[in-house]
Amino acid sequence: MNNFKSNPPVPLYYTLVEFLKKQIEDEELKPGETIPSERELIEKFNLSRTTVRKAIDILVNEGLLTKVQGKGTFVQKKKMDDGLIKLTSCTESIKKMGLNPGRKLLSSAVIPVTKNIATHMQIDSEEKLFKLERVLYGDNVPINITTSHTVYKYVQGIEEYDFEKESLYNILENKFNIKINHSVRTIEAVLANEKEAELLQISVGSPILLFNGLVYGIINGEEKPIEYFISKYRCDISKFYIEQIR
């Protein structure tokens, strides 16, 4: 009796996955370049559209490819690498990666404080906030959506600045003499809704990283909560590290 089992057949999509991986490893497909279209891959490998899409989805999930709605599928660039210990602005982090930072203003307004934010910031319910909502880019690729709420009494007139050009933290420190001191942040994985997917140029239901944070600053020698923010990062082009010391 033969006790040897025959090897199971290799799935068709696996051949395409391995081919594209080798192309990326050998830099025949370079970071930022588009891969061949679905039609080209179907014809080259004599595969079905479903099989080609499955192979591409596997490489997207592994972080080797990224899909941009309306533009195609690209070889992943180096991920934006940011620490969770040192407090830096997203603009600074993008610059450290050698990328050109950009900003798209979604909204800005002076608003009454909500009960939820008043509780988070431990401020009076009569306070006003400067609300700033933007998409931040690196080399014209959207990286995150950030909504910031700053205590308005500390920054009166801040709504006059052009926040498609200016860094919020630079304005706080250089124009309002607020020294950014430290923050407390939470992080969780969520799925992108329709609006978030459109702004980040990803598919609805793609995983994103949700940060909630409270930032403290020194004002007239006293530490005070100055900003509450919500940031939503694309997972496929962002990673974060924690340095631990024993």
Side-chain angles (χ1 to χ4, degrees):
M1 181 177 181
N2 189 349
N3 292 323
F4 292 100
K5 294 182 179 179
S6 59
N7 292 327
V10 176
L12 291 175
Y13 65 82
Y14 182 79
T15 302
L16 181 54
V17 167
E18 291 304 303
F19 171 79
L20 291 174
K21 275 186 177 180
K22 190 170 190 312
Q23 293 267 297
I24 294 168
E25 289 168 1
D26 294 343
E27 291 196 346
E28 292 182 37
L29 287 171
K30 294 180 172 57
E33 288 185 350
T34 56
I35 68 168
S37 68
E38 283 186 4
R39 181 183 295 276
E40 290 173 313
L41 293 172
I42 288 168
E43 292 176 356
K44 180 180 178 67
F45 291 91
N46 193 27
L47 297 172
S48 69
R49 186 177 300 276
T50 301
T51 300
V52 168
R53 288 182 174 176
K54 182 168 185 177
I56 290 173
D57 286 342
I58 287 171
L59 294 172
V60 169
N61 290 335
E62 291 183 5
L64 294 175
L65 299 178
T66 182
K67 292 181 179 179
V68 179
Q69 289 180 345
K71 295 183 179 179
T73 303
F74 295 78
V75 179
Q76 183 61 268
K77 293 182 179 180
K78 186 177 179 182
K79 288 192 176 186
M80 192 184 81
D81 193 356
D82 201 4
L84 293 176
I85 302 299
K86 186 177 180 182
L87 177 59
T88 58
S89 70
C90 186
T91 299
E92 290 176 278
S93 298
I94 292 170
K95 286 181 176 178
K96 286 179 181 178
M97 285 294 298
L99 304 177
N100 183 38
R103 310 166 188 87
K104 177 182 178 181
L105 181 65
L106 301 178
S107 67
S108 65
V110 178
I111 64 170
V113 67
T114 64
K115 183 177 180 180
N116 179 52
I117 294 178
T119 300
H120 275 292
M121 299 190 75
Q122 301 173 2
I123 57 177
D124 192 275
S125 60
E126 301 301 314
E127 292 284 3
K128 291 185 177 180
L129 301 172
F130 173 61
K131 180 181 178 181
L132 177 65
E133 185 178 17
R134 297 183 295 178
V135 181
L136 288 98
Y137 296 78
D139 284 354
N140 296 316
V141 176
I143 291 174
N144 76 41
I145 307 164
T146 294
T147 304
S148 170
H149 305 84
T150 309
V151 182
Y152 186 65
K153 68 180 179 182
Y154 302 137
V155 294
Q156 292 184 41
I158 194 171
E159 67 274 19
E160 301 300 324
Y161 289 92
D162 184 353
F163 283 102
E164 286 205 335
K165 297 179 180 178
E166 300 280 5
S167 162
L168 175 62
Y169 284 8
N170 281 344
I171 293 297
L172 293 180
E173 293 189 321
N174 297 322
K175 302 299 182 180
F176 292 95
N177 298 314
I178 298 173
K179 179 177 173 55
I180 306 298
N181 194 27
H182 77 278
S183 73
V184 178
R185 292 184 279 183
T186 63
I187 179 173
E188 60 182 304
V190 297
L191 301 180
N193 62 30
E194 190 171 340
K195 178 183 177 182
E196 293 159 351
E198 180 182 357
L199 292 173
L200 292 174
Q201 297 178 8
I202 56 178
S203 301
V204 175
S206 296
I208 57 176
L209 292 176
L210 170 64
F211 284 83
N212 287 274
L214 183 59
V215 177
Y216 294 81
I218 304 297
I219 301 174
N220 298 324
E222 186 178 352
E223 183 179 86
K224 297 178 181 291
I226 59 167
E227 180 201 17
Y228 176 73
F229 70 85
I230 302 167
S231 290
K232 300 164 185 177
Y233 280 80
R234 283 176 59 163
C235 287
D236 59 336
I237 55 175
S238 305
K239 67 177 180 179
F240 298 85
Y241 65 87
I242 299 174
E243 181 178 355
Q244 295 179 309
I245 302 173
R246 183 174 179 179

